Amino acid sequence: MQQCICMVSDFFYPSMGGVESHIWQLSQCLMSRGHKVIVVTHFYDDRIGIRYMTNFLKVYYLPILPFYNKSILPTIVGSLPYLRHIFITEKVTIVHGHSAFSSLAHEALFIASLLDIPSVFTDHSLFGFSDASAIVTNEFLKYSLVNTSHTICVSHTGKENTVLRSGVKAEKVSVIPNAIDSVRFSPQTQIDTSQTEIELCDSSETNYHHRDEDTDYHLNFMKKRRVRSVTIVVGSRLVYRKGIDLLAIILPIICTKPCKIGNTWIQIDFIIAGDGPKRILLEEVIEKHNLQQRVEMLGELQHSDIRDKLLIKGDIFLNTSLTEAFCMAIVEAVSCGLTVVSTNVGGISEVLPAKFIFLVEPNVDAILDGIYKAVEGVVTGTRASAEECNQFVRQAYNWTQVAARTEKVYSAITQTKIPPLQKKVRNLWECGRIAGPIMGVLYLACHYWCIFLALWSHYVT
């Protein structure tokens, strides 16, 4: 059955990221399967009003000002007239919100419930339970999902986390993983030049101000020796939860201590892509230890540049995240033929089999041990080939399968009976001793406001 699906999130093009990519790819696949898809987000710079993208994907850029971190201020009443008008005029049959960080997505689910439109929410992240940000987000999620038809998580760990945070029933939550375009993220066709043997430059040509005696000994010992270069690439937002503090400790240890495998000396270099508040920490470490020739900072990259400017230039992809629901970056890296070293947190253990990834604990010693094992595997050629990696990703993570599984969720919720108004108000009322009744009254107020808007629209026309 053909559906009219409205994807809603604060995060969409021209902003780039995992959520934005997910919405775009899923929308294109659903359109190819015969459904009508529209996207609703807030305005970005001069993008305001209605725009059309590839395959005539219709995008509504609402004139609502972002409040914090690209999300709007959660008011419900501010977006209600816009969203109600879009849902009715486009004859939307399913509302699909994305990301727990998105206030607009939560408001869309709330308004869809008012209009008796089936709704789906996809949670892309893991959250804690103790910090202020997590507490506020979890409260929003609880009231947002109580009247939502179904919830989708990207990993089984994410499902457990969402069920605990929101109190939604486990049978109303499905697990559908993310996917990538394996054709776009394909291995390099030619031999990587970084894998050829290079001759180290005379250390006297570089001004080393901060070297201890042990480092000087190793550098002098390796001077003029022929060594093999292995490049480790890192691509993520440079924030605390991505483990950038661990990366800052690892960089000088790896770069200043030579590594030997058999009779071959290994020079390990880094390429880091991304931006964020922790970037200044990495730059300070690089300058303090004179690693400018060993660590390259690329800054923030467009998603279309990640393969050519980052992934195919490396041999190993390093992920030091402290929390992850489903790490898209490691799948993209494996699709390009890289060996992955990642912290074993969240849902990462569900993403790749052991032959493609080294899972380590989120501490310095474990990460270093994982890196050296990965380097040995790359140098000795015992890891899976680039073609095998790409073939695995092509079969396991493709958007056609994701769209087909999401379509089954849509079919199930459209056949489910919509609960009456009394039940919806009671669901909200029972969510909290104080906030619950307040949300119940607000829901009723919005319900009568929708009736007023319908009468007013009828009167005007």
Side-chain angles (χ1 to χ4, degrees), residues 49-125:
I50 299 174
R51 300 290 182 97
Y52 287 90
M53 302 180 70
T54 305
N55 294 329
F56 295 99
L57 174 63
K58 192 175 185 179
V59 184
Y60 285 87
Y61 289 93
L62 302 183
I64 304 177
L65 189 69
F67 173 67
Y68 173 73
N69 198 22
K70 300 180 182 179
S71 294
I72 66 169
L73 182 68
T75 62
I76 298 177
V77 294
S79 61
L80 191 150
Y82 295 118
L83 293 174
R84 175 190 169 278
H85 176 76
I86 293 170
F87 294 165
I88 293 175
T89 56
E90 295 286 351
K91 298 181 180 178
V92 171
T93 57
I94 294 173
V95 175
H96 193 159
H98 292 265
S99 179
F101 287 110
S102 174
S103 302
L104 186 60
H106 294 307
E107 294 186 1
L109 297 175
F110 189 89
I111 295 165
S113 174
L114 287 169
L115 300 176
D116 288 338
I117 301 175
S119 56
V120 178
F121 175 74
T122 296
D123 197 354
H124 296 263
S125 305

Coordinates of all heavy atoms in Angstrom, one line a residue, residues 49-125:
G49 N 11.4 27.9 3.5 CA 10.3 27.6 2.6 C 10.4 26.2 2.0 O 10.9 25.3 2.7
I50 N 10.0 26.0 0.8 CA 9.9 24.7 0.2 C 11.1 24.5 -0.9 O 11.3 25.4 -1.7 CB 8.6 24.4 -0.5 CG1 7.4 24.5 0.5 CG2 8.6 23.1 -1.3 CD1 6.1 24.4 -0.1
R51 N 11.8 23.5 -0.8 CA 12.9 23.2 -1.7 C 12.7 21.7 -2.2 O 12.1 20.9 -1.5 CB 14.3 23.3 -1.1 CG 14.6 24.7 -0.6 CD 14.8 25.7 -1.7 NE 15.2 27.0 -1.2 CZ 16.4 27.4 -1.1 NH1 17.4 26.7 -1.5 NH2 16.7 28.6 -0.6
Y52 N 13.2 21.5 -3.4 CA 13.1 20.1 -4.0 C 14.5 19.6 -4.2 O 15.4 20.4 -4.7 CB 12.4 20.1 -5.3 CG 10.9 20.3 -5.2 CD1 10.3 21.6 -5.2 CD2 10.1 19.2 -5.0 CE1 8.9 21.7 -5.0 CE2 8.7 19.3 -4.9 CZ 8.1 20.6 -4.9 OH 6.8 20.7 -4.7
M53 N 14.8 18.4 -3.9 CA 16.1 17.8 -4.0 C 16.0 16.6 -5.0 O 15.0 16.5 -5.7 CB 16.6 17.3 -2.6 CG 16.7 18.5 -1.6 SD 17.3 18.0 0.0 CE 19.0 17.7 -0.4
T54 N 17.0 15.8 -5.0 CA 17.1 14.7 -6.0 C 15.8 13.8 -6.0 O 15.2 13.5 -4.9 CB 18.3 13.8 -5.6 OG1 19.5 14.6 -5.6 CG2 18.4 12.7 -6.7
N55 N 15.3 13.5 -7.2 CA 14.1 12.7 -7.4 C 12.9 13.4 -6.8 O 11.9 12.8 -6.4 CB 14.2 11.3 -6.7 CG 15.3 10.4 -7.4 OD1 15.5 10.6 -8.6 ND2 15.9 9.6 -6.6
F56 N 13.0 14.8 -6.8 CA 11.9 15.6 -6.4 C 11.4 15.3 -5.0 O 10.3 15.4 -4.6 CB 10.7 15.5 -7.4 CG 10.9 15.9 -8.8 CD1 11.3 15.0 -9.8 CD2 10.9 17.3 -9.1 CE1 11.5 15.5 -11.0 CE2 11.2 17.7 -10.4 CZ 11.5 16.8 -11.3
L57 N 12.4 15.1 -4.1 CA 12.2 15.0 -2.7 C 11.8 16.4 -2.2 O 12.6 17.3 -2.2 CB 13.4 14.4 -2.0 CG 13.3 14.4 -0.4 CD1 12.2 13.4 0.0 CD2 14.6 13.9 0.2
K58 N 10.6 16.5 -1.6 CA 10.1 17.8 -1.2 C 10.5 18.1 0.2 O 10.3 17.2 1.1 CB 8.6 17.9 -1.3 CG 8.0 19.2 -1.1 CD 6.5 19.2 -1.4 CE 5.8 20.5 -1.4 NZ 4.4 20.5 -1.7
V59 N 11.2 19.2 0.5 CA 11.7 19.5 1.8 C 11.1 20.9 2.3 O 11.2 21.9 1.6 CB 13.2 19.6 1.8 CG1 13.8 19.9 3.2 CG2 13.9 18.4 1.2
Y60 N 10.5 20.8 3.5 CA 9.9 22.0 4.1 C 11.0 22.6 5.1 O 11.3 21.9 6.1 CB 8.6 21.7 4.8 CG 7.4 21.5 4.0 CD1 7.1 20.3 3.4 CD2 6.6 22.6 3.7 CE1 6.0 20.1 2.6 CE2 5.4 22.4 2.9 CZ 5.2 21.2 2.4 OH 4.1 21.0 1.6
Y61 N 11.5 23.8 4.8 CA 12.4 24.4 5.8 C 11.5 25.5 6.5 O 11.3 26.6 6.1 CB 13.5 25.1 5.1 CG 14.5 24.2 4.5 CD1 14.4 23.7 3.2 CD2 15.6 23.7 5.3 CE1 15.4 22.8 2.6 CE2 16.5 22.8 4.7 CZ 16.4 22.3 3.4 OH 17.3 21.5 2.9
L62 N 11.1 25.1 7.7 CA 10.2 26.0 8.5 C 10.9 27.2 9.0 O 12.0 27.1 9.4 CB 9.6 25.2 9.7 CG 8.8 23.9 9.3 CD1 8.2 23.3 10.6 CD2 7.7 24.2 8.3
P63 N 10.2 28.3 9.1 CA 10.8 29.6 9.6 C 10.8 29.6 11.1 O 10.2 30.5 11.8 CB 9.8 30.6 9.1 CG 8.5 30.0 8.9 CD 8.8 28.5 8.6
I64 N 11.5 28.6 11.7 CA 11.6 28.5 13.2 C 13.1 28.6 13.5 O 13.9 27.8 12.9 CB 11.0 27.2 13.7 CG1 9.6 27.1 13.3 CG2 11.2 27.1 15.2 CD1 8.9 25.8 13.8
L65 N 13.5 29.5 14.4 CA 14.9 29.7 14.7 C 15.5 28.6 15.6 O 14.9 28.2 16.6 CB 15.0 31.1 15.5 CG 16.4 31.6 15.7 CD1 17.0 32.0 14.4 CD2 16.4 32.8 16.7
P66 N 16.6 28.1 15.2 CA 17.3 27.1 16.1 C 17.7 27.7 17.4 O 18.0 28.9 17.5 CB 18.5 26.7 15.3 CG 18.2 27.1 13.9 CD 17.4 28.3 13.9
F67 N 17.6 26.9 18.5 CA 17.8 27.4 19.8 C 19.2 27.0 20.3 O 20.0 27.8 20.8 CB 16.7 26.9 20.7 CG 16.9 27.2 22.2 CD1 17.0 28.6 22.6 CD2 17.2 26.2 23.1 CE1 17.2 28.8 24.0 CE2 17.4 26.5 24.5 CZ 17.4 27.8 24.9
Y68 N 19.5 25.7 20.3 CA 20.7 25.2 20.8 C 21.2 23.9 20.0 O 20.4 23.0 19.8 CB 20.6 24.8 22.3 CG 21.8 24.1 22.8 CD1 23.0 24.8 23.1 CD2 21.8 22.7 23.1 CE1 24.1 24.2 23.6 CE2 22.9 22.1 23.6 CZ 24.1 22.8 23.9 OH 25.2 22.2 24.4
N69 N 22.4 23.9 19.5 CA 23.0 22.8 18.9 C 22.1 22.3 17.7 O 21.8 21.1 17.5 CB 23.2 21.6 19.9 CG 24.1 20.6 19.3 OD1 25.0 20.9 18.5 ND2 24.0 19.4 19.9
K70 N 21.7 23.3 16.9 CA 20.9 23.1 15.7 C 19.4 22.6 16.0 O 18.7 22.2 15.0 CB 21.6 22.1 14.7 CG 22.9 22.5 14.2 CD 23.5 21.5 13.3 CE 24.9 21.9 12.8 NZ 25.5 20.9 11.9
S71 N 19.0 22.6 17.2 CA 17.7 22.2 17.6 C 16.8 23.4 17.9 O 17.4 24.4 18.5 CB 17.7 21.2 18.7 OG 18.3 20.0 18.4
I72 N 15.5 23.3 17.7 CA 14.6 24.4 18.0 C 14.3 24.4 19.5 O 14.5 23.4 20.2 CB 13.4 24.4 17.1 CG1 12.5 23.2 17.5 CG2 13.7 24.4 15.7 CD1 11.1 23.2 16.9
L73 N 13.7 25.5 20.0 CA 13.2 25.5 21.4 C 11.9 24.7 21.4 O 11.0 25.0 20.7 CB 13.0 27.0 21.8 CG 12.5 27.2 23.2 CD1 13.6 26.8 24.2 CD2 12.1 28.6 23.5
P74 N 11.9 23.7 22.3 CA 10.7 22.9 22.4 C 9.5 23.7 23.0 O 9.4 23.8 24.3 CB 11.1 21.7 23.3 CG 12.2 22.3 24.1 CD 12.9 23.3 23.3
T75 N 8.6 24.1 22.2 CA 7.4 24.8 22.7 C 6.1 24.2 22.3 O 5.0 24.4 23.0 CB 7.4 26.3 22.1 OG1 7.2 26.2 20.7 CG2 8.6 27.0 22.5
I76 N 6.0 23.3 21.3 CA 4.9 22.6 20.8 C 3.9 23.6 20.1 O 3.6 23.4 18.9 CB 4.1 21.8 21.9 CG1 5.0 20.7 22.5 CG2 2.8 21.2 21.3 CD1 4.3 20.0 23.6
V77 N 3.5 24.7 20.8 CA 2.6 25.6 20.3 C 3.2 26.4 19.1 O 2.5 26.8 18.2 CB 2.1 26.6 21.3 CG1 1.3 25.8 22.4 CG2 3.2 27.3 22.0
G78 N 4.5 26.6 19.1 CA 5.1 27.3 18.0 C 5.1 26.7 16.7 O 4.9 27.3 15.6
S79 N 5.3 25.3 16.7 CA 5.3 24.6 15.4 C 4.0 23.9 15.1 O 3.8 23.4 14.0 CB 6.4 23.5 15.5 OG 6.1 22.6 16.6
L80 N 3.0 24.0 16.0 CA 1.7 23.3 15.7 C 1.0 23.7 14.5 O 0.6 22.9 13.6 CB 0.8 23.4 17.0 CG -0.4 22.5 17.0 CD1 -0.8 22.1 18.4 CD2 -1.6 23.1 16.3
P81 N 0.9 25.1 14.3 CA 0.2 25.5 13.0 C 0.9 25.0 11.7 O 0.2 24.6 10.8 CB 0.1 27.0 13.1 CG 0.3 27.3 14.6 CD 1.2 26.2 15.1
Y82 N 2.2 25.1 11.8 CA 3.0 24.7 10.6 C 2.8 23.2 10.3 O 2.5 22.8 9.2 CB 4.5 25.0 10.8 CG 4.8 26.5 10.9 CD1 5.4 27.0 12.0 CD2 4.6 27.4 9.8 CE1 5.7 28.3 12.2 CE2 4.9 28.7 9.9 CZ 5.5 29.2 11.1 OH 5.8 30.5 11.2
L83 N 3.1 22.4 11.3 CA 3.1 21.0 11.1 C 1.7 20.5 10.8 O 1.5 19.6 10.0 CB 3.6 20.3 12.4 CG 5.1 20.5 12.6 CD1 5.5 19.9 14.0 CD2 6.0 19.9 11.5
R84 N 0.6 21.0 11.5 CA -0.7 20.6 11.2 C -1.1 20.9 9.8 O -1.7 20.1 9.1 CB -1.7 21.3 12.1 CG -3.2 21.1 11.8 CD -4.1 22.0 12.6 NE -5.5 21.9 12.1 CZ -5.9 22.5 11.1 NH1 -5.2 23.3 10.4 NH2 -7.2 22.3 10.7
H85 N -0.7 22.1 9.3 CA -1.0 22.5 7.9 C -0.3 21.5 6.9 O -0.9 21.1 5.9 CB -0.6 23.9 7.6 CG -0.7 24.4 6.2 ND1 -2.0 24.7 5.7 CD2 0.2 24.5 5.2 CE1 -1.8 25.0 4.4 NE2 -0.5 24.9 4.1
I86 N 1.0 21.2 7.2 CA 1.7 20.3 6.3 C 1.1 18.9 6.3 O 0.9 18.3 5.2 CB 3.2 20.3 6.7 CG1 3.9 21.6 6.4 CG2 3.9 19.2 5.9 CD1 5.2 21.7 7.0
F87 N 0.8 18.4 7.5 CA 0.2 17.0 7.5 C -1.1 16.9 6.8 O -1.4 15.9 6.2 CB 0.0 16.6 9.0 CG 1.3 16.5 9.8 CD1 1.3 16.4 11.2 CD2 2.6 16.4 9.1 CE1 2.5 16.3 11.9 CE2 3.7 16.3 9.8 CZ 3.7 16.2 11.2
I88 N -1.9 18.0 6.9 CA -3.2 17.9 6.3 C -3.2 18.1 4.8 O -3.7 17.4 4.0 CB -4.2 18.9 6.9 CG1 -4.5 18.5 8.4 CG2 -5.5 19.1 6.2 CD1 -5.3 19.5 9.2
T89 N -2.4 19.2 4.3 CA -2.4 19.5 2.9 C -1.6 18.4 2.1 O -1.9 18.1 1.0 CB -1.7 20.8 2.7 OG1 -0.4 20.8 3.3 CG2 -2.5 22.0 3.3
E90 N -0.6 17.8 2.7 CA 0.1 16.7 2.0 C -0.5 15.4 2.2 O 0.0 14.4 1.6 CB 1.6 16.7 2.6 CG 2.4 17.9 2.3 CD 2.8 18.0 0.8 OE1 2.6 17.0 0.1 OE2 3.4 19.0 0.4
K91 N -1.6 15.3 3.0 CA -2.3 14.1 3.2 C -1.3 13.0 3.8 O -1.3 11.8 3.3 CB -3.0 13.6 2.0 CG -4.1 14.5 1.5 CD -4.8 14.0 0.2 CE -5.8 15.0 -0.3 NZ -6.5 14.6 -1.5
V92 N -0.6 13.4 4.8 CA 0.4 12.5 5.4 C -0.3 11.3 6.1 O -1.3 11.5 6.9 CB 1.3 13.3 6.4 CG1 2.2 12.3 7.2 CG2 2.1 14.3 5.6
T93 N 0.2 10.1 5.9 CA -0.4 8.9 6.5 C 0.5 8.4 7.6 O 0.1 7.6 8.4 CB -0.6 7.8 5.5 OG1 0.6 7.5 4.8 CG2 -1.7 8.3 4.4
I94 N 1.8 8.7 7.6 CA 2.8 8.3 8.6 C 3.8 9.4 8.9 O 4.3 10.0 8.0 CB 3.6 7.0 8.2 CG1 2.6 5.8 8.0 CG2 4.7 6.7 9.2 CD1 3.3 4.6 7.4
V95 N 4.0 9.7 10.2 CA 5.0 10.7 10.6 C 6.1 9.9 11.2 O 5.9 9.1 12.1 CB 4.4 11.7 11.6 CG1 5.5 12.6 12.1 CG2 3.3 12.5 11.0
H96 N 7.3 10.2 10.7 CA 8.5 9.5 11.1 C 9.5 10.5 11.7 O 10.2 11.3 10.9 CB 9.1 8.7 10.0 CG 10.2 7.7 10.4 ND1 10.5 6.6 9.6 CD2 10.9 7.6 11.5 CE1 11.4 5.9 10.3 NE2 11.7 6.5 11.4
G97 N 9.7 10.6 13.0 CA 10.7 11.5 13.6 C 12.0 10.8 13.8 O 12.1 9.6 14.0
H98 N 13.1 11.6 13.8 CA 14.4 11.1 13.9 C 15.2 11.9 15.0 O 15.2 13.1 15.0 CB 15.2 11.1 12.6 CG 14.6 10.2 11.5 ND1 15.2 9.0 11.3 CD2 13.6 10.4 10.7 CE1 14.5 8.4 10.3 NE2 13.5 9.2 9.9
S99 N 15.9 11.1 15.8 CA 16.9 11.7 16.8 C 16.2 12.2 18.1 O 15.4 13.1 18.0 CB 17.8 12.7 16.2 OG 18.7 13.2 17.2
A100 N 16.7 11.7 19.2 CA 16.2 12.1 20.5 C 16.6 13.6 20.8 O 16.1 14.2 21.6 CB 16.7 11.2 21.6
F101 N 17.7 14.0 20.1 CA 18.1 15.4 20.3 C 17.2 16.4 19.6 O 17.3 17.6 19.8 CB 19.6 15.6 19.7 CG 20.6 15.0 20.6 CD1 21.3 13.9 20.1 CD2 20.9 15.5 21.8 CE1 22.3 13.3 20.9 CE2 21.9 14.9 22.6 CZ 22.6 13.8 22.2
S102 N 16.4 16.0 18.7 CA 15.6 16.9 17.8 C 14.3 17.2 18.5 O 13.4 16.4 18.6 CB 15.3 16.2 16.5 OG 14.4 17.0 15.7
S103 N 14.1 18.5 18.9 CA 12.9 19.0 19.5 C 11.8 19.0 18.5 O 10.6 18.7 18.8 CB 13.1 20.4 20.0 OG 14.1 20.4 21.0
L104 N 12.1 19.3 17.2 CA 11.1 19.3 16.2 C 10.5 17.9 15.9 O 9.3 17.8 15.7 CB 11.7 19.8 14.9 CG 10.7 20.1 13.7 CD1 9.7 21.1 14.1 CD2 11.5 20.5 12.5
A105 N 11.3 16.9 16.0 CA 10.8 15.5 15.9 C 9.8 15.1 17.0 O 8.8 14.5 16.7 CB 12.0 14.5 15.8
H106 N 10.2 15.5 18.2 CA 9.3 15.2 19.3 C 7.9 16.0 19.2 O 6.9 15.4 19.4 CB 9.9 15.6 20.7 CG 11.1 14.8 21.0 ND1 11.1 13.4 21.1 CD2 12.4 15.2 21.3 CE1 12.3 13.0 21.4 NE2 13.1 14.0 21.6
E107 N 8.0 17.2 18.7 CA 6.8 18.0 18.5 C 5.9 17.4 17.4 O 4.7 17.4 17.5 CB 7.1 19.4 18.2 CG 7.8 20.1 19.4 CD 8.0 21.6 19.2 OE1 7.6 22.1 18.1 OE2 8.5 22.3 20.1
A108 N 6.6 16.9 16.4 CA 5.9 16.3 15.2 C 5.1 15.0 15.7 O 4.0 14.8 15.3 CB 6.8 16.0 14.1
L109 N 5.8 14.2 16.5 CA 5.1 13.0 17.1 C 3.9 13.4 17.9 O 2.9 12.8 17.9 CB 6.1 12.2 17.9 CG 7.3 11.6 17.1 CD1 8.3 11.0 18.1 CD2 6.9 10.7 16.0
F110 N 4.1 14.5 18.7 CA 3.0 14.9 19.6 C 1.8 15.4 18.7 O 0.6 15.0 19.0 CB 3.5 16.1 20.4 CG 2.6 16.6 21.5 CD1 2.6 16.0 22.8 CD2 1.7 17.6 21.3 CE1 1.8 16.5 23.8 CE2 0.8 18.1 22.3 CZ 0.9 17.5 23.5
I111 N 2.1 16.2 17.7 CA 1.0 16.7 16.8 C 0.4 15.6 16.0 O -0.8 15.6 15.7 CB 1.6 17.8 16.0 CG1 2.0 19.0 16.9 CG2 0.5 18.3 14.9 CD1 2.9 20.0 16.2
A112 N 1.2 14.6 15.5 CA 0.6 13.5 14.8 C -0.4 12.7 15.6 O -1.4 12.3 15.1 CB 1.8 12.6 14.4
S113 N -0.1 12.6 16.9 CA -1.0 11.9 17.8 C -2.3 12.7 18.0 O -3.4 12.1 18.0 CB -0.4 11.8 19.2 OG -1.3 11.3 20.2
L114 N -2.2 14.0 18.0 CA -3.4 14.9 18.0 C -4.3 14.7 16.8 O -5.5 14.7 16.9 CB -3.0 16.4 18.2 CG -2.5 16.8 19.5 CD1 -1.9 18.2 19.4 CD2 -3.5 16.8 20.6
L115 N -3.7 14.5 15.7 CA -4.4 14.3 14.4 C -4.7 12.9 14.0 O -5.2 12.6 12.9 CB -3.6 15.0 13.3 CG -3.3 16.5 13.4 CD1 -2.4 17.0 12.3 CD2 -4.5 17.3 13.5
D116 N -4.4 12.0 15.0 CA -4.7 10.5 14.8 C -3.9 10.0 13.6 O -4.4 9.1 12.8 CB -6.2 10.3 14.6 CG -7.0 10.4 15.9 OD1 -6.3 10.3 17.0 OD2 -8.2 10.7 15.8
I117 N -2.7 10.5 13.4 CA -1.8 9.9 12.3 C -0.8 9.0 12.9 O -0.1 9.3 13.9 CB -1.0 11.1 11.6 CG1 -2.0 12.1 11.0 CG2 -0.1 10.6 10.5 CD1 -1.3 13.3 10.4
P118 N -0.7 7.7 12.4 CA 0.3 6.8 12.9 C 1.7 7.4 12.9 O 2.1 8.1 11.9 CB 0.2 5.6 12.0 CG -1.2 5.7 11.5 CD -1.5 7.2 11.3
S119 N 2.5 7.1 13.9 CA 3.9 7.7 14.0 C 4.9 6.7 14.3 O 4.7 5.7 15.0 CB 3.8 8.9 15.0 OG 3.4 8.4 16.2
V120 N 6.1 7.0 13.9 CA 7.3 6.2 14.2 C 8.4 7.1 14.6 O 8.6 8.2 14.1 CB 7.7 5.4 12.9 CG1 9.0 4.5 13.2 CG2 6.6 4.5 12.4
F121 N 9.2 6.6 15.6 CA 10.4 7.4 16.0 C 11.6 6.5 15.9 O 11.6 5.3 16.3 CB 10.2 7.8 17.5 CG 11.4 8.5 18.0 CD1 11.8 9.8 17.7 CD2 12.3 7.8 19.0 CE1 12.9 10.4 18.2 CE2 13.4 8.4 19.5 CZ 13.7 9.7 19.1
T122 N 12.7 7.0 15.3 CA 14.0 6.3 15.2 C 15.0 7.0 16.2 O 15.3 8.2 16.0 CB 14.5 6.3 13.8 OG1 13.6 5.6 12.9 CG2 15.9 5.6 13.8
D123 N 15.5 6.2 17.1 CA 16.5 6.7 18.1 C 17.8 6.3 17.6 O 18.1 5.1 17.4 CB 16.2 6.1 19.5 CG 16.9 6.8 20.6 OD1 17.7 7.7 20.3 OD2 16.6 6.5 21.8
H124 N 18.7 7.2 17.4 CA 20.0 7.0 16.8 C 21.1 7.0 17.8 O 22.3 6.7 17.5 CB 20.3 8.1 15.8 CG 19.4 8.1 14.6 ND1 19.8 7.5 13.4 CD2 18.2 8.6 14.4 CE1 18.8 7.6 12.5 NE2 17.8 8.3 13.1
S125 N 20.9 7.3 19.1 CA 21.9 7.5 20.1 C 21.7 6.7 21.4 O 20.5 6.3 21.6 CB 22.1 9.0 20.4 OG 22.3 9.7 19.2

